[in-house]
Amino acid sequence: MSVTAESNELRDDVLNGLQLSGQLERVWRTPSGLVGALMSVDHKIVGRRYILTAFAFLLLGGILAMLMRVQLAGPEQTFLSADKYNQIFTMHGSTMMFLFAVPVMEAFAVYLVPLMVGTRNIAFPRLNAFSYWMFLFGGCFLWISFLFNVGPDVGWFSYVPLSSLQFTPTKRADVWAQMITFTEVAALAVAVEIVVTVFKLRAPGMTLDRIPLFVWAMLVTSFLVMFAMPSIMVASTSLILDRLVNTRFYDASSGGHPLLWQHLFWFFGHPEVYIIFIPGTGMASTILATFARRPVIGYPVVILSLIGTGFLSFGLWVHHMFVTGLPQLGAGLFTASSMLIAVPSGLQIFCWLATLWDGRPVYRTPLLFVIGFIVIFVIGGLSGVMVASVPIDTQVHDTYFVVAHFHYVLIGGAVFPLIGAVYYWFPKIAGRMLSERLGRWNFWLAFIGFNVAFFPMHFLGLIGMPRRVYTYTADMDWAHLNLLSSIGAFVFALSFALLLVNVVYSLRKGALAGDNPWNGSTLEWATSSPPPPQNFDRIPVVKHRDPLWADSESLPVIAGLSAERREVLLTSLAEAEPQTREASSEPSIWPLLTAIATTVFFIGSIFTPWAVLWGTPPMAVTLIGWFWPSGSKEDEE
Amino acid sequence: MRQTIVRNVAELPTYGYGPRSGPWWGAMGFMALEGMGFAIAVGTYLYLYAIDPNWPIGAAPPDLWPGTTEAVVYLLSIIPNEITNRAAYRQDLAKVRTGLVVMSLIGIALLVLRGFEFAHLNTRWDNSAYGSIVWLILGLHTTHLATDVGDTVVLAVLMFTRHAKPRRFSDVTDNVFYWNFVVLAWLPLYALLDWVPRL
Amino acid sequence: MLLATWPLAACAGRQSALDPQGLQSDQIRHTLFIFVAVAAVVWTAVVIALGIGMLRRKRAADQPLDLHQTFEERTGRVILALGIATTVIVLGLSFVSYAGQRTVFAKDENALTLKIVGHQWWWEVRYEADSPHQNFVTANEIRIPTGQPVKVELESADVIHSFWVPSLTGKMDLIPGQKNELQFTAKNAGMYRGQCAEFCGLQHAHMAFDVIALPPDEFGRWREHENQSAESPADQLGKQGEALFRARGCALCHNVSGTLAGGQLGPDLTHVGGRRTIAAGTLPNTPATLGAWISDPQHIKPGNLMPKMPLQSDELIAIIHYLEQLK
């Protein structure tokens, strides 16, 4: 089709070597200067910003955690007032869940998935840029509100009727609810981009059973995001409507019900845990294969486990509501369904253990974090089985036992692999290695600090300490364990300080990485570190699940893509057969402008319903600007 | 790393239709998550319905004529929509222009009808939880309707400018595809809003 | 690790799931221990397998893709077997859990019934007998007979709270617009502390109460006494306190049965002098703490709904003296 019109186009089959690299770089690079930076649609630049921003929120959320641990280190401390404490624990939970854990996983996917599937940019690069701006603005909105003492104080779960207008007459609950809208818009956009990138932009030959495990994990995660987050969007929207225009969703005296909120919240909230955890398993599988020097045993088992976990995760939300007075038999069935999710998680762990048994492990920092992850996560999984039991849950629900449990799951299951991933992919992103010496210190401080901080909390819960209390009396016998926990928390915090030092130091002084410092098997290691704007000079052809191990001498590639405009190769869903050469977006300022217009709309609409009226036209204008053809050549065929 | 060229893809087209195109899959993804949003809203409706025996709470069921008329118009709109679709595949610019204008007009008519429907719900959003969920569901669908109408109008305008190039026909087919989703979403919502209160 | 540190916590106090004093809490601890035992075995097995995997003599070749077909197949079968084992364990534990659940939530028609209403941030406790004149209301202190099932009906006046006395049984939420109930039986006489477990706003941390389990005859006597109206103060200072209690606005919110004080917003004070604590378990009940509380409640429990009343020190002394006599 239309080949004649383009026959004089410059293609990558007539260029070679540096000439080709230089030409592609000119086409794919982000314009220089501040405006250029704001226009960037390069998944690596956006991904890097996403990662850095998410880690900045981790730092902020971590500082809040430390403030809480100071307050709780002894009985009847007055370091924080009740009001500040309630804001702080709400901000800690909301920041960690919505501004760190979910975004950081998606951020890694934004950076890595296009490289790992062997393409030049993510699907819908402008949507990707928009998503980042929404995330940034939503996070800033929450934190600026907090600094002005309008930070939410009703918990990251924001149960009604406490968060209703009657009991929270200030804007604090609105800030929370609208921050949800911001971050969900961002998360949903990335989820769709990842799905389409994996479905359509895979390198030729990367059939479904050759997709790297991290990419599989992010694909499953993206589907979870797409099907879980609409629930919290409906919930937060109806909460704002209840507060702003007096709808009655949660008003028991007008036919509403407070438990409706809990159903909607946990229908999202439980899959949320797996949205955070599944990417962690993908990171763990990747790191394990590289450092055990063999592919993960049971690749199909791992994938089926991921998919199984994804499906099961939608059938467990009720176990967050065992003490709300639901029918007993129903609750009992949710016990069984909740515990069953241990089976796919267990299968993955068995596959990893078998991989380690048969491998020749090289104990570098990323692998240490994965081993720490297994040790810690199994504890979290097993305490999860306890929490899933109705009778046990009636005792431990809303106590420090649960605080211990989910930190074992989330920090053990997601943050440990994540830090491992930072050590593993930092050389690719920055071009330099992180210090191994600091890395070991980092790991041991994190491992010891974490366990000292959180293991005692199991006991605190069992001996009666509820969650979300800003203080406790001296006669409750909770002081010693709390002090121990606070000490552990500071050691744990220190490990993150070391990570920061390591990153800052290594950015300038670290050893140069080269293309493939760990001898990894996946495609991101087939290009330079950091990768050029076009990712690959020529799109690789995949003939094996571990392409760089199978073809260690020479990489099969395809040619024929344009070298004078942005073009990506689309392949078929299952077999990854080349289908079309589709244009990929040029840099554009419109995503940023659209995000600004949307931000004005969102913030306005917690103050007045009329924001819907005056907030829509600017959004419409910016969206038209975004999609209107620029008149450049690739837009005009 | 050394490279070996094993295939040349220069002969491949630069855009495709349906599952061969990226934007089609994007639309698919957004439909999936928006469909989930509708499902959750419907679930909310049924939950509230289940806990309150006096349904609809303190109100008469909505008047039938606006929703029913809309349902009929939606179903009929599939015909010009499909004609537009085929014209786009054939890259028949004249017919695509006509089709988009017709679809824009149908969309605007439906928005007007929707205004009447809100007025004939027989309940306000702040009367009871019943009123709230009815307004929410209708509002949610209206947002989709309005967005797609806006999209259709912009695309119609685009097709009358110099930007009406072949690859735009693929955008037209995606727009057609999305309209079918708006229609398909309406049918269960219509049954829920207009008929369930009459059970 | 779990087992080694277990004794450390087992001795802990009067608000502990590990020190059960009721039929239900006993059953729950039993279920918990089965789970903990299984968990300890599983975790140890995983860590041993991990350790062996790390220390094991490695295969010689450094070709990552040089794999042994037989090893892969054998390992596949082992993984499958472990998967089945996991399923069996999980289903077994579900069964154990459900058996425990049935015991914990078993209902007894002859239970003593109490109604508990959660307020920000205190507990209203209503004893409702068959004849209305035997009804009385108290706050933040629940007395029950030992050996007899007690049914608490749980409601909320404002936001969601959760009723939790770990020594006796697990928790249950108090939800506006919904009636929940919970049954439990105290095995031994004693005093067990409970605390709100669902975050309910500013002073969630200070929403505690006591459950005092008494031998049945002693409970009967207490109930008889509690059902009486407040006695008139015996001395002049007390009488003056009673008058001030009304004149200074206390009676607008607080009820003292048998007097003109009939407020319904705050805790019933008919027998406040006999309670162990004030302000929902925040302070022990002594003349000094009572004085501190009345003179500035916002200092002790910021944000609570009791306003600071301007009182002269002699007026304060009279009111404290009066309240102390309401036993």
Side-chain angles (χ1 to χ4, degrees), chain A residues 60-90:
Chain A
L60 292 171
I63 290 170
L64 296 181
M66 293 307 111
L67 295 177
M68 288 193 283
R69 282 324 311 175
V70 171
Q71 168 76 6
L72 293 177
E76 294 177 80
Q77 298 284 305
T78 52
F79 176 68
L80 297 172
S81 68
D83 180 57
K84 266 284 167 271
Y85 187 89
N86 292 345
Q87 280 190 67
I88 285 176
F89 86 71
T90 303

mmCIF file of all heavy atoms in Angstrom, chain A residues 60-90:
data_model
loop_
_atom_site.group_PDB
_atom_site.id
_atom_site.type_symbol
_atom_site.label_atom_id
_atom_site.label_comp_id
_atom_site.label_asym_id
_atom_site.label_seq_id
_atom_site.Cartn_x
_atom_site.Cartn_y
_atom_site.Cartn_z
ATOM 1 N N LEU A 60 9.165 11.033 51.299
ATOM 2 C CA LEU A 60 8.224 11.799 52.122
ATOM 3 C C LEU A 60 7.390 10.865 53.006
ATOM 4 O O LEU A 60 7.231 11.090 54.205
ATOM 5 C CB LEU A 60 7.307 12.632 51.222
ATOM 6 C CG LEU A 60 7.989 13.775 50.469
ATOM 7 C CD1 LEU A 60 7.041 14.396 49.453
ATOM 8 C CD2 LEU A 60 8.476 14.827 51.449
ATOM 9 N N GLY A 61 6.870 9.795 52.390
ATOM 10 C CA GLY A 61 6.071 8.838 53.163
ATOM 11 C C GLY A 61 6.906 8.195 54.257
ATOM 12 O O GLY A 61 6.409 7.922 55.352
ATOM 13 N N GLY A 62 8.181 7.970 53.964
ATOM 14 C CA GLY A 62 9.076 7.376 54.957
ATOM 15 C C GLY A 62 9.329 8.320 56.119
ATOM 16 O O GLY A 62 9.357 7.900 57.280
ATOM 17 N N ILE A 63 9.472 9.604 55.818
ATOM 18 C CA ILE A 63 9.669 10.582 56.897
ATOM 19 C C ILE A 63 8.447 10.560 57.822
ATOM 20 O O ILE A 63 8.568 10.579 59.050
ATOM 21 C CB ILE A 63 9.912 11.986 56.311
ATOM 22 C CG1 ILE A 63 11.289 12.020 55.635
ATOM 23 C CG2 ILE A 63 9.820 13.057 57.388
ATOM 24 C CD1 ILE A 63 11.549 13.270 54.826
ATOM 25 N N LEU A 64 7.261 10.486 57.228
ATOM 26 C CA LEU A 64 6.044 10.419 58.049
ATOM 27 C C LEU A 64 6.068 9.189 58.950
ATOM 28 O O LEU A 64 5.684 9.242 60.122
ATOM 29 C CB LEU A 64 4.809 10.377 57.156
ATOM 30 C CG LEU A 64 4.548 11.605 56.285
ATOM 31 C CD1 LEU A 64 3.268 11.419 55.484
ATOM 32 C CD2 LEU A 64 4.462 12.857 57.137
ATOM 33 N N ALA A 65 6.539 8.062 58.367
ATOM 34 C CA ALA A 65 6.593 6.836 59.166
ATOM 35 C C ALA A 65 7.508 7.028 60.366
ATOM 36 O O ALA A 65 7.196 6.599 61.483
ATOM 37 C CB ALA A 65 7.074 5.676 58.299
ATOM 38 N N MET A 66 8.620 7.710 60.139
ATOM 39 C CA MET A 66 9.559 7.937 61.238
ATOM 40 C C MET A 66 8.933 8.823 62.317
ATOM 41 O O MET A 66 9.113 8.594 63.506
ATOM 42 C CB MET A 66 10.853 8.580 60.716
ATOM 43 C CG MET A 66 11.666 7.677 59.824
ATOM 44 S SD MET A 66 12.018 6.080 60.587
ATOM 45 C CE MET A 66 11.029 5.032 59.562
ATOM 46 N N LEU A 67 8.177 9.830 61.869
ATOM 47 C CA LEU A 67 7.512 10.695 62.860
ATOM 48 C C LEU A 67 6.564 9.858 63.719
ATOM 49 O O LEU A 67 6.501 10.007 64.942
ATOM 50 C CB LEU A 67 6.729 11.808 62.152
ATOM 51 C CG LEU A 67 7.561 12.819 61.373
ATOM 52 C CD1 LEU A 67 6.661 13.823 60.654
ATOM 53 C CD2 LEU A 67 8.527 13.545 62.305
ATOM 54 N N MET A 68 5.825 8.943 63.063
ATOM 55 C CA MET A 68 4.915 8.095 63.834
ATOM 56 C C MET A 68 5.675 7.197 64.795
ATOM 57 O O MET A 68 5.251 6.975 65.925
ATOM 58 C CB MET A 68 4.076 7.238 62.872
ATOM 59 C CG MET A 68 3.040 8.036 62.124
ATOM 60 S SD MET A 68 1.853 6.974 61.304
ATOM 61 C CE MET A 68 2.791 6.427 59.898
ATOM 62 N N ARG A 69 6.829 6.687 64.320
ATOM 63 C CA ARG A 69 7.582 5.788 65.205
ATOM 64 C C ARG A 69 8.169 6.553 66.397
ATOM 65 O O ARG A 69 8.342 5.976 67.461
ATOM 66 C CB ARG A 69 8.689 5.059 64.442
ATOM 67 C CG ARG A 69 8.276 3.878 63.573
ATOM 68 C CD ARG A 69 7.157 3.018 64.100
ATOM 69 N NE ARG A 69 7.285 2.579 65.474
ATOM 70 C CZ ARG A 69 6.346 1.892 66.132
ATOM 71 N NH1 ARG A 69 5.217 1.570 65.555
ATOM 72 N NH2 ARG A 69 6.532 1.541 67.388
ATOM 73 N N VAL A 70 8.491 7.824 66.219
ATOM 74 C CA VAL A 70 8.945 8.618 67.365
ATOM 75 C C VAL A 70 7.799 8.758 68.361
ATOM 76 O O VAL A 70 7.956 8.536 69.563
ATOM 77 C CB VAL A 70 9.433 10.017 66.913
ATOM 78 C CG1 VAL A 70 9.697 10.904 68.119
ATOM 79 C CG2 VAL A 70 10.678 9.883 66.060
ATOM 80 N N GLN A 71 6.629 9.102 67.850
ATOM 81 C CA GLN A 71 5.473 9.297 68.712
ATOM 82 C C GLN A 71 5.139 8.028 69.495
ATOM 83 O O GLN A 71 4.787 8.073 70.662
ATOM 84 C CB GLN A 71 4.273 9.737 67.863
ATOM 85 C CG GLN A 71 2.928 9.699 68.562
ATOM 86 C CD GLN A 71 2.724 10.854 69.527
ATOM 87 O OE1 GLN A 71 3.558 11.760 69.598
ATOM 88 N NE2 GLN A 71 1.651 10.817 70.280
ATOM 89 N N LEU A 72 5.246 6.869 68.837
ATOM 90 C CA LEU A 72 4.810 5.621 69.471
ATOM 91 C C LEU A 72 5.928 4.925 70.248
ATOM 92 O O LEU A 72 5.686 3.907 70.893
ATOM 93 C CB LEU A 72 4.258 4.660 68.411
ATOM 94 C CG LEU A 72 2.957 5.101 67.736
ATOM 95 C CD1 LEU A 72 2.551 4.099 66.669
ATOM 96 C CD2 LEU A 72 1.834 5.259 68.755
ATOM 97 N N ALA A 73 7.144 5.478 70.201
ATOM 98 C CA ALA A 73 8.274 4.805 70.848
ATOM 99 C C ALA A 73 8.047 4.641 72.342
ATOM 100 O O ALA A 73 8.577 3.726 72.967
ATOM 101 C CB ALA A 73 9.569 5.563 70.580
ATOM 102 N N GLY A 74 7.251 5.519 72.928
ATOM 103 C CA GLY A 74 6.944 5.387 74.352
ATOM 104 C C GLY A 74 5.486 5.722 74.591
ATOM 105 O O GLY A 74 4.821 6.263 73.710
ATOM 106 N N PRO A 75 4.978 5.399 75.782
ATOM 107 C CA PRO A 75 3.568 5.686 76.070
ATOM 108 C C PRO A 75 3.341 7.177 76.305
ATOM 109 O O PRO A 75 4.231 7.883 76.797
ATOM 110 C CB PRO A 75 3.298 4.885 77.343
ATOM 111 C CG PRO A 75 4.628 4.712 77.977
ATOM 112 C CD PRO A 75 5.649 4.703 76.885
ATOM 113 N N GLU A 76 2.181 7.623 75.933
ATOM 114 C CA GLU A 76 1.730 8.995 76.185
ATOM 115 C C GLU A 76 2.749 10.068 75.789
ATOM 116 O O GLU A 76 2.991 11.024 76.507
ATOM 117 C CB GLU A 76 1.310 9.143 77.658
ATOM 118 C CG GLU A 76 0.089 8.285 77.930
ATOM 119 C CD GLU A 76 -0.371 8.289 79.364
ATOM 120 O OE1 GLU A 76 -1.047 9.250 79.738
ATOM 121 O OE2 GLU A 76 -0.049 7.339 80.107
ATOM 122 N N GLN A 77 3.332 9.874 74.611
ATOM 123 C CA GLN A 77 4.229 10.899 74.072
ATOM 124 C C GLN A 77 3.410 12.073 73.561
ATOM 125 O O GLN A 77 2.279 11.905 73.113
ATOM 126 C CB GLN A 77 5.014 10.318 72.898
ATOM 127 C CG GLN A 77 5.895 9.151 73.244
ATOM 128 C CD GLN A 77 7.146 9.592 73.947
ATOM 129 O OE1 GLN A 77 7.872 10.415 73.442
ATOM 130 N NE2 GLN A 77 7.369 9.063 75.136
ATOM 131 N N THR A 78 3.997 13.255 73.606
ATOM 132 C CA THR A 78 3.284 14.426 73.094
ATOM 133 C C THR A 78 4.013 15.044 71.898
ATOM 134 O O THR A 78 3.784 16.190 71.550
ATOM 135 C CB THR A 78 3.133 15.489 74.202
ATOM 136 O OG1 THR A 78 4.433 15.722 74.748
ATOM 137 C CG2 THR A 78 2.189 15.007 75.276
ATOM 138 N N PHE A 79 4.869 14.239 71.278
ATOM 139 C CA PHE A 79 5.620 14.708 70.114
ATOM 140 C C PHE A 79 4.668 15.166 69.009
ATOM 141 O O PHE A 79 4.860 16.185 68.361
ATOM 142 C CB PHE A 79 6.521 13.566 69.640
ATOM 143 C CG PHE A 79 7.296 13.861 68.394
ATOM 144 C CD1 PHE A 79 8.304 14.807 68.396
ATOM 145 C CD2 PHE A 79 7.021 13.179 67.219
ATOM 146 C CE1 PHE A 79 9.027 15.066 67.247
ATOM 147 C CE2 PHE A 79 7.738 13.432 66.056
ATOM 148 C CZ PHE A 79 8.744 14.383 66.080
ATOM 149 N N LEU A 80 3.600 14.405 68.786
ATOM 150 C CA LEU A 80 2.583 14.779 67.802
ATOM 151 C C LEU A 80 1.239 14.891 68.500
ATOM 152 O O LEU A 80 0.930 14.095 69.383
ATOM 153 C CB LEU A 80 2.476 13.713 66.708
ATOM 154 C CG LEU A 80 3.690 13.445 65.828
ATOM 155 C CD1 LEU A 80 3.438 12.227 64.956
ATOM 156 C CD2 LEU A 80 4.000 14.651 64.961
ATOM 157 N N SER A 81 0.434 15.841 68.062
ATOM 158 C CA SER A 81 -0.934 15.917 68.584
ATOM 159 C C SER A 81 -1.784 14.864 67.891
ATOM 160 O O SER A 81 -1.394 14.303 66.860
ATOM 161 C CB SER A 81 -1.509 17.299 68.307
ATOM 162 O OG SER A 81 -1.689 17.461 66.921
ATOM 163 N N ALA A 82 -2.959 14.604 68.476
ATOM 164 C CA ALA A 82 -3.860 13.624 67.857
ATOM 165 C C ALA A 82 -4.169 14.043 66.429
ATOM 166 O O ALA A 82 -4.166 13.225 65.502
ATOM 167 C CB ALA A 82 -5.142 13.502 68.670
ATOM 168 N N ASP A 83 -4.432 15.320 66.242
ATOM 169 C CA ASP A 83 -4.804 15.812 64.917
ATOM 170 C C ASP A 83 -3.671 15.602 63.911
ATOM 171 O O ASP A 83 -3.873 15.122 62.803
ATOM 172 C CB ASP A 83 -5.162 17.294 65.015
ATOM 173 C CG ASP A 83 -5.551 17.855 63.651
ATOM 174 O OD1 ASP A 83 -6.475 17.306 63.042
ATOM 175 O OD2 ASP A 83 -4.915 18.832 63.213
ATOM 176 N N LYS A 84 -2.438 15.955 64.307
ATOM 177 C CA LYS A 84 -1.302 15.770 63.406
ATOM 178 C C LYS A 84 -1.080 14.297 63.119
ATOM 179 O O LYS A 84 -0.835 13.888 61.991
ATOM 180 C CB LYS A 84 -0.022 16.364 64.034
ATOM 181 C CG LYS A 84 0.261 17.793 63.604
ATOM 182 C CD LYS A 84 0.823 17.864 62.188
ATOM 183 C CE LYS A 84 0.818 19.267 61.633
ATOM 184 N NZ LYS A 84 -0.373 19.687 60.946
ATOM 185 N N TYR A 85 -1.171 13.483 64.180
ATOM 186 C CA TYR A 85 -0.921 12.055 63.996
ATOM 187 C C TYR A 85 -1.906 11.471 62.996
ATOM 188 O O TYR A 85 -1.524 10.716 62.101
ATOM 189 C CB TYR A 85 -1.021 11.318 65.332
ATOM 190 C CG TYR A 85 -0.607 9.872 65.215
ATOM 191 C CD1 TYR A 85 0.719 9.497 65.389
ATOM 192 C CD2 TYR A 85 -1.528 8.886 64.890
ATOM 193 C CE1 TYR A 85 1.120 8.182 65.257
ATOM 194 C CE2 TYR A 85 -1.141 7.560 64.744
ATOM 195 C CZ TYR A 85 0.182 7.216 64.933
ATOM 196 O OH TYR A 85 0.576 5.909 64.783
ATOM 197 N N ASN A 86 -3.180 11.841 63.149
ATOM 198 C CA ASN A 86 -4.185 11.276 62.244
ATOM 199 C C ASN A 86 -3.935 11.712 60.806
ATOM 200 O O ASN A 86 -4.114 10.935 59.870
ATOM 201 C CB ASN A 86 -5.594 11.678 62.697
ATOM 202 C CG ASN A 86 -5.960 11.024 64.014
ATOM 203 O OD1 ASN A 86 -5.303 10.076 64.453
ATOM 204 N ND2 ASN A 86 -6.994 11.529 64.661
ATOM 205 N N GLN A 87 -3.540 12.941 60.626
ATOM 206 C CA GLN A 87 -3.178 13.381 59.276
ATOM 207 C C GLN A 87 -1.973 12.596 58.767
ATOM 208 O O GLN A 87 -1.922 12.191 57.614
ATOM 209 C CB GLN A 87 -2.829 14.868 59.270
ATOM 210 C CG GLN A 87 -4.022 15.806 59.246
ATOM 211 C CD GLN A 87 -3.571 17.246 58.998
ATOM 212 O OE1 GLN A 87 -3.093 17.581 57.932
ATOM 213 N NE2 GLN A 87 -3.721 18.089 59.995
ATOM 214 N N ILE A 88 -1.012 12.387 59.671
ATOM 215 C CA ILE A 88 0.233 11.764 59.234
ATOM 216 C C ILE A 88 0.022 10.301 58.866
ATOM 217 O O ILE A 88 0.516 9.831 57.844
ATOM 218 C CB ILE A 88 1.324 11.948 60.314
ATOM 219 C CG1 ILE A 88 1.817 13.399 60.281
ATOM 220 C CG2 ILE A 88 2.469 10.980 60.111
ATOM 221 C CD1 ILE A 88 2.823 13.736 61.352
ATOM 222 N N PHE A 89 -0.768 9.565 59.677
ATOM 223 C CA PHE A 89 -0.918 8.158 59.274
ATOM 224 C C PHE A 89 -1.758 8.047 57.998
ATOM 225 O O PHE A 89 -1.531 7.151 57.179
ATOM 226 C CB PHE A 89 -1.422 7.270 60.431
ATOM 227 C CG PHE A 89 -2.910 7.192 60.642
ATOM 228 C CD1 PHE A 89 -3.717 6.511 59.743
ATOM 229 C CD2 PHE A 89 -3.500 7.745 61.770
ATOM 230 C CE1 PHE A 89 -5.088 6.411 59.960
ATOM 231 C CE2 PHE A 89 -4.868 7.653 61.979
ATOM 232 C CZ PHE A 89 -5.662 6.984 61.061
ATOM 233 N N THR A 90 -2.686 8.986 57.817
ATOM 234 C CA THR A 90 -3.471 8.984 56.577
ATOM 235 C C THR A 90 -2.576 9.313 55.384
ATOM 236 O O THR A 90 -2.626 8.656 54.339
ATOM 237 C CB THR A 90 -4.601 10.020 56.678
ATOM 238 O OG1 THR A 90 -5.402 9.714 57.813
ATOM 239 C CG2 THR A 90 -5.466 9.994 55.434
#
